[in-house]
Amino acid sequence: CSAIDACGSNNGGCSSKAECRRTTPGSRACVCSAGHTGDGIVCLEINPCLVNNGGCDRNAECTQTGPNQAVCNCLKGYSGDGKTCTYISLCSQNNGGCSEFAICNDTELTDRTCTCKPNYIGDGFNCRGNIFQELLRNSNTSRFYFHLEALSIRDISGPGPFTLFVPHTDVLNSDPRVKDWTAKGVLAQVLRYHMVACASLLYKDLTAVTNITSLQGDLIHISYSQNSLVLNNKAEIVLSDTVGTNGVIHVINQILVP
């Protein structure tokens, strides 16, 4: 007589995920393989993610990769190895993409708000101060700013509103008359002739105006033809509607002379 091998056929009736172990002749025991649980006849994969999030951080996602195996990945808005996840503040890097003159506030895990600081206007991503400050920030108008500073002209730093017609930086740098006016002490009058008080006139507003009075006291004539605004029949507005908290800036291609 020979002993009957209970595991000899069809894995002894055990689960395919189990090991059939011979015990006594004609008998066997079914033991679930590693990573599985059950009575040996039925063996199910152990999903570690079902208990304590698989050992992952509470701000991580547990993903089963095999029997009793899983990986941990930090959720969006967090960084780490999955076992430990740290909140990423969007505002902590580069002010969250907001303007340097804005306040960045984290709102949700993947979002933030940008709000311009007091005395600035804009959408939070682009914040503008008064037109005196804006002159310096733009290379097209910065030369005009330096002339105002040199002469201590601060009229347009007040509450306004003002409308400013600024000769392009290249024009101010190349026109030889600027040095002559400086030497004669009349440059301040010329600069004030480019300023208009008590009104913040956008390009569309200027199309309906024929004359406006400058801070220097003389009139500036405005004409509109061939889709262009021209001042004193010479200077054309080439860039328009840079709006600040106390007025608006237009860039012109020639110097206005009172």
Side-chain angles (χ1 to χ4, degrees), residues 6-7 11 14 18-23 27-31 39-40:
C7 295
N11 200 30
C14 301
E19 178 187 359
C20 181
R21 296 177 182 175
R22 294 167 56 185
T23 53
S27 299
R28 54 89 175 101
C30 298
V31 180
D39 59 5

mmCIF file of all heavy atoms in Angstrom, residues 6-7 11 14 18-23 27-31 39-40:
data_model
loop_
_atom_site.group_PDB
_atom_site.id
_atom_site.type_symbol
_atom_site.label_atom_id
_atom_site.label_comp_id
_atom_site.label_asym_id
_atom_site.label_seq_id
_atom_site.Cartn_x
_atom_site.Cartn_y
_atom_site.Cartn_z
ATOM 1 N N ALA A 6 -2.725 13.788 -0.751
ATOM 2 C CA ALA A 6 -3.925 14.637 -0.837
ATOM 3 C C ALA A 6 -3.672 15.897 -1.657
ATOM 4 O O ALA A 6 -4.601 16.553 -2.103
ATOM 5 C CB ALA A 6 -4.413 15.004 0.558
ATOM 6 N N CYS A 7 -2.415 16.277 -1.858
ATOM 7 C CA CYS A 7 -2.084 17.490 -2.625
ATOM 8 C C CYS A 7 -1.727 17.160 -4.070
ATOM 9 O O CYS A 7 -1.382 18.042 -4.861
ATOM 10 C CB CYS A 7 -0.910 18.224 -1.979
ATOM 11 S SG CYS A 7 -1.258 18.886 -0.320
ATOM 12 N N ASN A 11 -4.071 20.828 -6.719
ATOM 13 C CA ASN A 11 -3.574 21.528 -5.523
ATOM 14 C C ASN A 11 -4.342 21.132 -4.277
ATOM 15 O O ASN A 11 -4.539 21.934 -3.355
ATOM 16 C CB ASN A 11 -3.642 23.053 -5.713
ATOM 17 C CG ASN A 11 -2.727 23.804 -4.744
ATOM 18 O OD1 ASN A 11 -1.682 23.287 -4.337
ATOM 19 N ND2 ASN A 11 -3.127 25.006 -4.351
ATOM 20 N N CYS A 14 -7.123 23.207 -2.687
ATOM 21 C CA CYS A 14 -6.815 24.517 -2.072
ATOM 22 C C CYS A 14 -6.924 25.610 -3.121
ATOM 23 O O CYS A 14 -6.922 25.356 -4.329
ATOM 24 C CB CYS A 14 -5.404 24.507 -1.503
ATOM 25 S SG CYS A 14 -5.101 23.247 -0.244
ATOM 26 N N ALA A 18 -2.942 29.491 -2.525
ATOM 27 C CA ALA A 18 -2.598 28.826 -1.271
ATOM 28 C C ALA A 18 -1.609 27.705 -1.541
ATOM 29 O O ALA A 18 -1.460 27.205 -2.657
ATOM 30 C CB ALA A 18 -3.844 28.286 -0.596
ATOM 31 N N GLU A 19 -0.940 27.310 -0.488
ATOM 32 C CA GLU A 19 -0.020 26.174 -0.546
ATOM 33 C C GLU A 19 -0.695 24.969 0.097
ATOM 34 O O GLU A 19 -1.259 25.063 1.192
ATOM 35 C CB GLU A 19 1.268 26.511 0.212
ATOM 36 C CG GLU A 19 2.263 25.367 0.244
ATOM 37 C CD GLU A 19 3.461 25.643 1.139
ATOM 38 O OE1 GLU A 19 3.520 26.749 1.736
ATOM 39 O OE2 GLU A 19 4.314 24.753 1.268
ATOM 40 N N CYS A 20 -0.674 23.841 -0.630
ATOM 41 C CA CYS A 20 -1.243 22.604 -0.088
ATOM 42 C C CYS A 20 -0.141 21.831 0.626
ATOM 43 O O CYS A 20 0.893 21.506 0.031
ATOM 44 C CB CYS A 20 -1.830 21.762 -1.222
ATOM 45 S SG CYS A 20 -2.601 20.223 -0.655
ATOM 46 N N ARG A 21 -0.345 21.593 1.894
ATOM 47 C CA ARG A 21 0.662 20.877 2.690
ATOM 48 C C ARG A 21 0.108 19.524 3.166
ATOM 49 O O ARG A 21 -0.961 19.457 3.771
ATOM 50 C CB ARG A 21 1.055 21.731 3.908
ATOM 51 C CG ARG A 21 1.723 23.043 3.555
ATOM 52 C CD ARG A 21 2.021 23.873 4.795
ATOM 53 N NE ARG A 21 2.620 25.169 4.463
ATOM 54 C CZ ARG A 21 2.893 26.116 5.364
ATOM 55 N NH1 ARG A 21 2.604 25.894 6.660
ATOM 56 N NH2 ARG A 21 3.437 27.255 4.989
ATOM 57 N N ARG A 22 0.861 18.468 2.847
ATOM 58 C CA ARG A 22 0.462 17.133 3.300
ATOM 59 C C ARG A 22 0.664 17.041 4.805
ATOM 60 O O ARG A 22 1.658 17.480 5.345
ATOM 61 C CB ARG A 22 1.301 16.072 2.586
ATOM 62 C CG ARG A 22 1.034 15.997 1.090
ATOM 63 C CD ARG A 22 2.078 15.193 0.358
ATOM 64 N NE ARG A 22 2.196 13.845 0.912
ATOM 65 C CZ ARG A 22 3.112 12.955 0.522
ATOM 66 N NH1 ARG A 22 3.994 13.299 -0.423
ATOM 67 N NH2 ARG A 22 3.150 11.750 1.064
ATOM 68 N N THR A 23 -0.286 16.449 5.440
ATOM 69 C CA THR A 23 -0.184 16.272 6.896
ATOM 70 C C THR A 23 -0.063 14.772 7.216
ATOM 71 O O THR A 23 1.030 14.264 7.402
ATOM 72 C CB THR A 23 -1.410 16.891 7.592
ATOM 73 O OG1 THR A 23 -2.607 16.358 6.993
ATOM 74 C CG2 THR A 23 -1.427 18.417 7.434
ATOM 75 N N SER A 27 -4.505 13.258 3.984
ATOM 76 C CA SER A 27 -4.961 14.548 4.528
ATOM 77 C C SER A 27 -3.997 15.666 4.103
ATOM 78 O O SER A 27 -2.833 15.425 3.789
ATOM 79 C CB SER A 27 -5.046 14.493 6.065
ATOM 80 O OG SER A 27 -5.967 13.516 6.475
ATOM 81 N N ARG A 28 -4.495 16.844 4.148
ATOM 82 C CA ARG A 28 -3.667 17.995 3.801
ATOM 83 C C ARG A 28 -4.197 19.235 4.509
ATOM 84 O O ARG A 28 -5.307 19.273 5.035
ATOM 85 C CB ARG A 28 -3.643 18.223 2.294
ATOM 86 C CG ARG A 28 -5.032 18.357 1.631
ATOM 87 C CD ARG A 28 -5.502 19.782 1.616
ATOM 88 N NE ARG A 28 -6.757 19.986 0.910
ATOM 89 C CZ ARG A 28 -7.918 20.130 1.509
ATOM 90 N NH1 ARG A 28 -8.003 20.061 2.821
ATOM 91 N NH2 ARG A 28 -9.022 20.361 0.802
ATOM 92 N N ALA A 29 -3.373 20.295 4.501
ATOM 93 C CA ALA A 29 -3.773 21.598 5.040
ATOM 94 C C ALA A 29 -3.528 22.643 3.965
ATOM 95 O O ALA A 29 -2.545 22.582 3.229
ATOM 96 C CB ALA A 29 -2.995 21.931 6.313
ATOM 97 N N CYS A 30 -4.463 23.553 3.850
ATOM 98 C CA CYS A 30 -4.324 24.632 2.864
ATOM 99 C C CYS A 30 -3.930 25.911 3.592
ATOM 100 O O CYS A 30 -4.639 26.371 4.504
ATOM 101 C CB CYS A 30 -5.638 24.845 2.119
ATOM 102 S SG CYS A 30 -6.179 23.390 1.166
ATOM 103 N N VAL A 31 -2.797 26.501 3.191
ATOM 104 C CA VAL A 31 -2.289 27.712 3.842
ATOM 105 C C VAL A 31 -2.149 28.810 2.783
ATOM 106 O O VAL A 31 -1.441 28.632 1.778
ATOM 107 C CB VAL A 31 -0.925 27.453 4.514
ATOM 108 C CG1 VAL A 31 -0.424 28.734 5.189
ATOM 109 C CG2 VAL A 31 -1.027 26.312 5.515
ATOM 110 N N ASP A 39 -9.114 30.936 4.450
ATOM 111 C CA ASP A 39 -9.029 29.613 5.072
ATOM 112 C C ASP A 39 -8.220 28.627 4.239
ATOM 113 O O ASP A 39 -8.128 27.441 4.563
ATOM 114 C CB ASP A 39 -10.445 29.051 5.305
ATOM 115 C CG ASP A 39 -11.237 28.931 3.990
ATOM 116 O OD1 ASP A 39 -10.655 29.190 2.915
ATOM 117 O OD2 ASP A 39 -12.439 28.605 4.072
ATOM 118 N N GLY A 40 -7.615 29.119 3.171
ATOM 119 C CA GLY A 40 -6.823 28.246 2.320
ATOM 120 C C GLY A 40 -7.615 27.733 1.140
ATOM 121 O O GLY A 40 -7.067 27.485 0.067
#
